[in-house]
Amino acid sequence: MAGTAGTPGTPRVLRAMNDRAALDLLLEHGPLSRTRIGKLTGLSKPTASQLLARLEAAGLVLAGGTTEGRPGPGAQLYEVNPAAAYAAGLDVTPGRILAAVADVTGRTVGRYELPTPGRRPAVPVVQQVTDALDGAVKAAGLARGDLHRLVIGTPGAFDPGTGRLRYASHLPGWHSPALLDELAAALPMPVEYENDVNLAAVAEQRLGAARGHEDFVLLWNQEGLGAALVLGGRLHRGWTGGAGEVGFLPVPGAPLVRKVSRTGSGGFQELAGSQALAGLARESGVTDVPSGPYTEVAAALVARAARSDADEDPHRRLLQTYATRLATGLASLVSVLDPELVVLSGTSLTAGGEALRDLVRDELEELAASRPRLAVGDVTEHPVLRGALESALATTRDEVFDTSR
C-alpha cells in the first residue's frame, strides 16, 4: 500500500537511505560541511540542510567547528555524535579476558584486562565476563545499561544445536550447556558469540589487509592454529560452527591423530602450531632457544629468523622449514576454496613479516594449483578484540542509524 512505512520508494524510506548514506560518509571522512555532504550524496543544498537538521535533532550528528583556509566565513562542519551509541567486545583466552568499549564512531573509550589463570576457574565464568565488562565500562565512564550490544570472541564455537562450546577443550569453565542462558540473564544487552579467528578476519576485512576482498582465507597461528573463511563477503561458519578449525587437519609429515576432539589437536597443529616452534628450532640447529610461554617463544624465534638472510644460518633453516610446514596445510585449503587472498595473522605468523610470507608463497606455488595473493595481517594490536568491536558496531549502527522507524 502506497505510503505505508517501510515500503520501498516512499519518502520515509528514501529519507532514511539518504540519512544512512550521510552518516556513513561522516564515519569514513570525518567532519564534513553541508556543501560537501551534498556533493558526495548528490543531494541539493536544501535537501542536505534538511537532512542534517533531522539527524542533529535525532542526536545522531553534532555541529562542530568550521572550515578554515578560505576567504570569508567558514562553513559549519558536522560529525557523527560519538555518544549516540556504545558497543563492547570481549576477547577470551585461557589466561585472560580482554574487554573494550567503543563509541559509535569506532573509537575505543575504555579497556580492561582480567587475568583468568588456572585450569579450574576459582570464579564462575559468568562473573568473569561481567567483571571484565564492568572494568571496561568503568574505564569509559559509562554504565552497563549504556551499551547497545556485546560481542564475545572465544576459541572454538558454540554448537547451535546444543549450546555447548566445541573445539576449545583448553578453555576452562566455558563448556556448561546452561552457560549461554546464564550470561543472557546476567547481561542487559544483546550478546553475540563468535570464534576468535573469525573475528580477526572481520578486523582485517574492515580495517586491514583484506579490505575490498570478498573471498579470502585468514590463517591464524598464536595460542592455536586455525583459519577463517570469508566467501562472498560473508564468514563461512559451517554446520556446527567448526569451519576453519584447520588445526585438526591431517597433513603429510605429521602422525595421524585420532580422536581429535578428545586430544584437542590434530596433524596440522602438531606440524606447524606455535607450540612446535621451539622443537623445530632445536632440530634446525638453533642453540639459544628462549624460555617462556610458547606463544612468546614462537614469535621471538620467527622474528629472529626473519632477520637472517644467510642460507647456512640455523635461524634461516628454521624459517624455511616452518614455511614449508605452513604451506603443506594451506595447500589443502587453497586447492578446495581457491581464494583470491590468504592473510597471515597471529603473532607466530606476523612476526615473520614479508620474509616468511615470501617463503610460504614460494612453497605454496609448488604444492597447490591456484595462486592466491598472500599478505601479512595489518591489524596486529589485539585483532580479535578489534574484530569483536567492529562486529558489534556494525549491528549497532544498522539499528541506531535507521531513521525510517
Side-chain angles (χ1 to χ4, degrees):
M1 180 183 297
T4 300
T7 302
T10 63
R12 175 178 292 185
V13 171
L14 293 175
R15 282 197 301 268
M17 291 171 64
N18 289 334
D19 290 349
R20 181 59 192 265
L23 289 164
D24 286 342
L25 287 168
L26 290 170
L27 286 173
E28 181 180 359
H29 298 286
L32 295 172
S33 67
R34 178 199 63 180
T35 301
R36 183 64 175 153
I37 289 174
K39 288 182 178 179
L40 291 171
T41 59
L43 300 174
S44 66
K45 288 183 179 180
T47 303
S49 295
Q50 293 169 5
L51 177 150
L52 288 168
R54 186 166 60 248
L55 294 179
E56 191 172 7
L60 295 177
V61 302
L62 298 173
T66 58
T67 57
E68 298 178 355
R70 296 183 180 180
Q76 180 72 63
L77 294 175
Y78 295 86
E79 61 184 349
V80 172
N81 179 6
Y86 296 93
L90 266 63
D91 173 14
V92 179
T93 70
R96 58 101 178 110
I97 298 178
L98 187 61
V101 174
D103 64 36
V104 77
T105 70
R107 182 174 66 95
T108 299
V109 295
R111 185 177 291 176
Y112 184 79
E113 183 170 344
L114 178 73
T116 56
R119 292 189 175 184
R120 294 184 178 179
V123 177
V125 165
V126 173
Q127 186 177 336
Q128 290 179 9
V129 168
T130 54
D131 286 350
L133 182 62
D134 286 345
V137 167
K138 182 179 179 181
L142 302 169
R144 254 195 231 176
D146 295 320
L147 297 181
H148 201 87
R149 183 170 295 271
L150 170 66
V151 171
I152 299 177
T154 69
F158 286 93
D159 189 299
T162 65
R164 286 181 177 273
L165 184 65
R166 303 186 66 193
Y167 318 109
S169 58
H170 62 296
L171 192 63
W174 282 78
H175 299 88
S176 166
L179 178 61
L180 298 188
D181 290 336
E182 293 171 357
L183 285 168
L187 297 167
M189 76 291 293
V191 184
E192 297 176 10
Y193 302 88
E194 185 58 88
N195 171 262
D196 52 358
V197 184
N198 282 350
L199 291 176
V202 169
E204 291 293 343
Q205 189 178 32
R206 302 276 176 82
L207 306 170
R211 290 185 72 174
H213 289 273
E214 294 290 304
D215 297 274
F216 70 94
V217 169
L218 181 135
L219 183 68
W220 173 269
N221 199 8
Q222 197 159 298
E223 288 86 2
L225 184 62
L229 317 177
V230 177
L231 307 174
R234 298 171 63 89
L235 282 167
H236 176 69
R237 297 177 177 86
W239 181 45
T240 64
E245 293 289 343
V246 296
F248 299 115
L249 188 71
V251 291
L256 190 63
V257 179
R258 299 185 183 274
K259 302 183 186 299
V260 294
S261 60
R262 193 174 297 175
T263 60
S265 184
F268 197 19
Q269 178 72 43
E270 299 300 317
L271 188 72
S274 296
Q275 81 280 6
L277 264 294
L280 181 58
R282 296 186 184 95
E283 292 174 10
S284 301
V286 177
T287 57
D288 53 344
V289 177
S291 59
Y294 72 88
T295 54
E296 296 177 11
V297 170
L301 286 168
V302 173
R304 191 191 309 170
R307 294 192 293 269
S308 173
D309 56 5
D311 291 341
E312 299 305 315
D313 186 342
H315 296 93
R316 186 66 181 182
R317 288 199 295 272
L318 164 63
L319 196 69
Q320 180 63 69
T321 305
Y322 181 42
T324 300
R325 292 185 173 196
L326 291 168
T328 299
L330 265 178
S332 297
L333 289 176
V334 167
S335 297
V336 173
L337 298 174
D338 190 23
E340 59 179 320
L341 174 70
V342 174
V343 178
L344 305 178
S345 186
T347 53
S348 296
L349 293 174
T350 57
E354 295 184 2
L356 177 60
R357 179 205 63 187
D358 291 347
L359 290 173
V360 174
R361 180 198 60 207
D362 293 345
E363 288 291 275
L364 198 57
E365 288 179 354
E366 298 288 333
L367 298 175
S370 60
R371 299 287 187 270
R373 185 171 71 85
L374 265 66
V376 180
D378 288 334
V379 184
T380 56
E381 183 178 359
H382 304 305
V384 175
L385 181 64
R386 189 67 249 178
L389 288 173
E390 287 297 315
S391 181
L393 285 168
T395 305
T396 296
R397 289 167 183 160
D398 286 342
E399 295 170 352
V400 173
F401 289 172
D402 183 1
T403 59
S404 66
R405 293 171 292 181

